[in-house]
Amino acid sequence: QVQLQESGPGLVKPSETLSLTCTVSGGSISSYYWSWIRQPAGKGLEWIGRIYTSGSTNYNPSLKSRVTMSVDTSKNQFSLKLSSVTAADTAVYYCARENSSGGTDYWGQGTLVTVSS
Amino acid sequence: EIVMTQSPATLSVSPGERATLSCRASQSVSSNLAWYQQKPGQAPRLLIYGASTRATGIPARFSGSGSGTEFTLTISSLQSEDFAVYYCQQYNNWPLITFGQGTRLEIK
């Protein structure tokens, strides 16, 4: 059973960089697309972007200038960096796996990141 | 960007009854449409992909239909554990993914 676990600081100061890592267990990270999705409290889901195990990336145009994703296949991990954060970036951040047949089939439990001084 | 619009925002249904949730795309997404269920404090759970294929372990009371711009998620006989928020998601507009704003299914 594939499991995903997000890790990283729960509090980030405005203008700084949010950094999260997702560790995949119970299966290989290879040959899948891996996504980051966020959800502000009481609101809907926003796709941030994805990375393939080759390192190729796709980002949401609304966040593209601030997002960087990377992958470390040796550690079965992938990461998210979001720069110049503001209070509007406060949300639960999920890492997830995209099903090759469609949809996103495995999700981490989510981690709350609060942007505040 | 493809905009996904879900209706209604809130649906009140009694246990044992049928629930019908709608999702409309601003342009055709073919059958590249997924549905998710989210309960408070939990991550979303994939229910349906390819507009009508149930994900692994999803009960048969959940069914999806539609193609192009109009989609429906039907829950045939509501169980207590089905009351949650439901999201549709399009993945046709590769590489971009967009979600609907959600429908809250509540107990009547």
Side-chain angles (χ1 to χ4, degrees):
Chain A
Q1 173 80 346
V2 174
Q3 294 185 311
L4 292 82
Q5 179 67 58
E6 304 90 351
S7 59
L11 181 64
V12 181
K13 289 182 169 55
S15 81
E16 296 190 346
T17 295
L18 176 161
S19 296
L20 296 173
T21 295
C22 183
T23 300
V24 180
S25 59
S28 174
I29 198 172
S30 296
S31 303
Y32 283 99
Y33 287 95
W34 302 90
S35 288
W36 289 96
I37 295 160
R38 69 181 183 179
Q39 185 173 38
K43 296 188 178 181
L45 300 162
E46 180 181 33
W47 179 75
I48 300 170
R50 70 167 66 82
I51 188 165
Y52 191 63
T53 48
S54 65
S56 66
T57 55
N58 304 116
Y59 301 141
N60 187 324
S62 68
L63 298 168
K64 185 175 183 177
S65 64
R66 299 193 291 130
V67 173
T68 303
M69 294 183 184
S70 59
V71 63
D72 186 338
T73 55
S74 67
K75 295 182 178 179
N76 252 26
Q77 294 178 333
F78 61 104
S79 299
L80 167 70
K81 291 186 185 298
L82 181 65
S83 64
S84 304
V85 297
T86 69
D89 296 309
T90 294
V92 173
Y93 285 75
Y94 295 101
C95 60
R97 190 186 84 170
E98 295 189 15
N99 183 341
S100 57
S101 298
T104 305
D105 57 358
Y106 289 97
W107 296 67
Q109 65 185 25
T111 187
L112 174 62
V113 178
T114 301
V115 178
S116 175
S117 56
Chain B
E1 176 184 331
I2 297 179
V3 178
M4 308 302 292
T5 303
Q6 292 186 241
S7 60
T10 302
L11 182 62
S12 299
V13 183
S14 299
E17 293 189 341
R18 174 189 296 256
T20 302
L21 290 68
S22 296
C23 176
R24 173 178 292 180
S26 60
Q27 63 190 77
S28 176
V29 298
S30 185
S31 294
N32 295 313
L33 189 286
W35 289 95
Y36 299 84
Q37 176 193 68
Q38 188 179 33
K39 297 180 180 179
Q42 296 184 16
R45 173 194 183 195
L46 177 65
L47 300 175
I48 301 284
Y49 62 92
S52 61
T53 302
R54 278 189 302 277
T56 303
I58 302 303
R61 64 180 182 273
F62 291 90
S63 63
S65 63
S67 65
T69 62
E70 300 284 344
F71 300 89
T72 300
L73 175 69
T74 302
I75 310 170
S76 60
S77 178
L78 280 164
Q79 308 296 303
S80 58
E81 61 266 29
D82 299 336
F83 292 95
V85 179
Y86 291 83
Y87 293 95
C88 62
Q89 174 209 52
Q90 72 79 23
Y91 49 92
N92 187 69
N93 189 28
W94 183 267
L96 303 182
I97 284 176
T98 49
F99 292 90
Q101 81 280 16
T103 290
R104 180 177 304 277
L105 180 58
E106 63 177 29
I107 301 175
K108 186 174 182 180

